[in-house]
Amino acid sequence: MSRDKPEAAQQAFPGRRWLLPSALVKELDPDPDRPGRPRRTARDWVVDFSCFILAVLIGLAAADTLRNEDLPQGYAAFDQVLGALACAAVWLRRRWPVGLAVAMIPIGFVSNTAGGAGVVALFTLAVHRPFRYVAWVALADVALIPVFFWLRPDPDVPYFWASVFGVLLTGAIVGWGMFVRSKRQLMLSLRDRARRAETEARLRAEQAQRLAREAIAREMHDVLAHRLTLLSVHAGALEFRPDAPREEIHRAAGVIRESAHEALQDLREIIGVLRAGDTDDSGRPQPTLAALEALVTESREAGMKVTLDQRVTDPAAVPASVGRTAYRIAQEGLTNARKHAPGTEVTVTVTGAPGEGLSVSVRNPAPEGEVPAVPGSGQGLIGLTERATLAGGTLEHGPPADGGFEVRGRLPWG
């Protein structure tokens, strides 16, 4: 895996890498296998050769003017030697831009033929380094220009205009180099912005997947808890009443088999959603308010005493999400009553109308005698409260004034 990423990164600019500067390619498309200074691209070789030729041409033009100057004997040869060395040093401008530009200050002051190399060095510094480096070198050049033309005046150009031209040329070189640098910085900032956008999109996708999996986990609890409590109740009855009538044992075994089969079917559907990566609600068991009577009938067949009071105006018009949440509230209430108050009569009340909202209440009296505590109690109500809140409603639970326990939910129905 770690070897594939660098190879994929090296193909970020297929067929176009030679058109970009090596420094920019290093920032946009780093190569972890080659740390340090990047290798020159084809564009770099063309630019470096062009800068070398420019420095040589300017040096040759300056060498022609040496014969018109009144110089000490041998100084012209010294000037040309320094100019040739300065032109050769142009090839080092990418490796040491600051050092070359600083070295060109005294060399350009004593050698007229090194002027072209000084121009290239100052431009390179403006492109590759921040402005604080460029400012010091440029100020030193500007300060030495009047002194240079005072000591070595140009016979064809007045002193004032020669100094002004030198200052303007220095400013133009610095401005051009800073413009090139700003364009590169813009490309890097756009690259960083694009990478941040991709990272944020990936994080949003991961968050959406996590939320979907959490919703599936809540769905698994709501669906399977009801089935498994039926299994527990009837298995416990068979364990503690081995002498029960044959018909009752047969009925309990049938309920256990049916509940186990339905729990397995629900679990298979949910696992199928997890494997397929489906984040919508199409593949999961999604009962609505219409399935409430079947839920009550199933609980009665399991031996519970359940009374259903359903007074809903136009049940078919209840939104699917609201009906599903109401069903889960009733299912969780019946499950809790079966675990914590076995043998009591449970009353399920559902009322509502469009524009008034939908109310769901599951109430049971206090059980007779002590009931053993069930491990993990309360987790279902926490998830149910979150579900009701996400649906825009509220959920309350607790003992009423006359004892027992009641779960009350109110959901919006616009």
Side-chain angles (χ1 to χ4, degrees):
M1 180 72 71
S2 61
R3 297 286 299 177
D4 295 341
K5 289 183 179 179
E7 294 176 3
Q10 291 176 3
Q11 301 299 323
F13 302 98
R16 294 180 297 170
R17 296 172 62 90
W18 66 274
L19 292 173
L20 298 175
S22 57
L24 193 60
V25 171
K26 181 182 179 181
E27 296 293 335
L28 294 175
D29 189 13
D31 187 359
D33 295 335
R34 290 186 56 85
R37 191 171 59 90
R39 180 183 297 177
R40 282 188 177 96
T41 62
R43 177 190 178 279
D44 290 340
W45 285 105
V46 172
V47 173
D48 290 348
F49 186 77
S50 301
C51 290
F52 173 74
I53 295 298
L54 176 64
V56 171
L57 292 178
I58 295 177
L60 292 176
D64 290 339
T65 63
L66 293 179
R67 64 172 62 99
N68 299 327
E69 297 184 42
D70 186 13
L71 299 174
Q73 185 178 3
Y75 191 87
F78 173 73
D79 189 310
Q80 296 178 22
V81 170
L82 281 182
L85 293 177
C87 292
V90 168
W91 291 100
L92 303 177
R93 68 189 188 93
R94 296 182 184 273
R95 179 173 295 185
W96 297 302
V98 178
L100 181 63
V102 172
M104 285 296 119
I105 296 176
I107 293 176
F109 182 73
V110 299
S111 175
N112 196 12
T113 56
V119 168
V120 174
L122 182 60
F123 173 78
T124 303
L125 182 66
V127 171
H128 293 278
R129 291 297 181 266
F131 179 72
R132 62 180 181 272
Y133 297 98
V134 183
W136 287 108
V137 176
L139 287 176
D141 286 338
V142 170
L144 291 177
I145 286 175
V147 181
F148 177 83
F149 285 109
W150 178 266
L151 297 177
R152 301 179 64 174
D154 192 328
D156 299 328
V157 181
Y159 168 75
F160 175 77
W161 292 112
S163 300
V164 170
F165 177 76
V167 172
L168 293 178
L169 179 62
T170 302
I173 294 171
V174 172
W176 185 22
M178 292 181 61
F179 173 73
V180 174
R181 177 177 173 81
S182 65
K183 288 183 61 178
R184 295 186 179 183
Q185 294 296 326
L186 177 61
M187 291 184 64
L188 294 178
S189 65
L190 293 177
R191 184 279 314 268
D192 293 338
R193 186 179 302 176
R195 287 185 176 178
R196 284 197 300 268
E198 292 176 358
T199 302
E200 292 174 359
R202 184 173 65 253
L203 291 177
R204 285 195 297 268
E206 293 176 355
Q207 183 180 15
Q209 292 177 356
R210 179 177 58 82
L211 294 177
R213 290 180 181 276
E214 290 178 357
I216 293 175
R218 290 193 296 268
E219 201 73 31
M220 291 175 65
H221 176 274
D222 295 336
V223 172
L224 296 179
H226 180 74
R227 310 291 186 191
L228 296 180
T229 52
L230 292 178
L231 291 175
S232 178
V233 169
H234 287 278
L238 292 179
E239 180 182 3
F240 289 102
R241 295 193 59 188
D243 56 344
R246 182 180 181 85
E247 292 78 8
E248 186 175 345
I249 294 177
H250 179 74
R251 183 174 63 84
V255 172
I256 292 175
R257 180 188 59 81
E258 184 66 22
S259 298
H261 176 72
E262 293 179 356
L264 185 61
Q265 287 294 112
D266 294 340
L267 183 60
R268 184 180 294 113
E269 292 179 4
I270 294 173
I271 296 301
V273 172
L274 290 173
R275 288 178 176 175
D278 192 3
T279 58
D280 58 16
D281 297 337
S282 60
R284 285 179 277 160
Q286 296 293 329
T288 58
L289 192 62
L292 186 58
E293 294 186 2
L295 175 65
V296 172
T297 302
E298 181 183 26
S299 299
R300 288 171 180 168
E301 292 178 353
M304 293 184 65
K305 300 175 184 179
V306 184
T307 301
L308 176 62
D309 183 11
Q310 186 171 1
R311 300 189 302 273
V312 179
T313 304
D314 194 7
V318 177
S321 60
V322 175
R324 182 163 56 250
T325 304
Y327 178 91
R328 294 306 182 196
I329 293 175
Q331 185 184 51
E332 183 67 21
L334 291 174
T335 301
N336 289 338
R338 188 182 302 116
K339 292 190 297 183
H340 303 288
T344 60
E345 183 175 359
V346 185
T347 302
V348 180
T349 305
V350 184
T351 59
E356 299 179 1
L358 189 68
S359 299
V360 183
S361 172
V362 182
R363 183 173 182 177
N364 63 269
E368 297 180 0
E370 294 187 3
V371 179
V374 180
S377 300
Q379 298 300 320
L381 291 177
I382 295 176
L384 204 61
T385 302
E386 182 181 0
R387 179 190 290 269
T389 303
L390 292 176
T394 59
L395 182 73
E396 300 176 356
H397 52 82
D402 55 352
F405 195 83
E406 183 177 8
V407 178
R408 301 174 301 276
R410 182 166 184 81
L411 304 173
W413 182 7

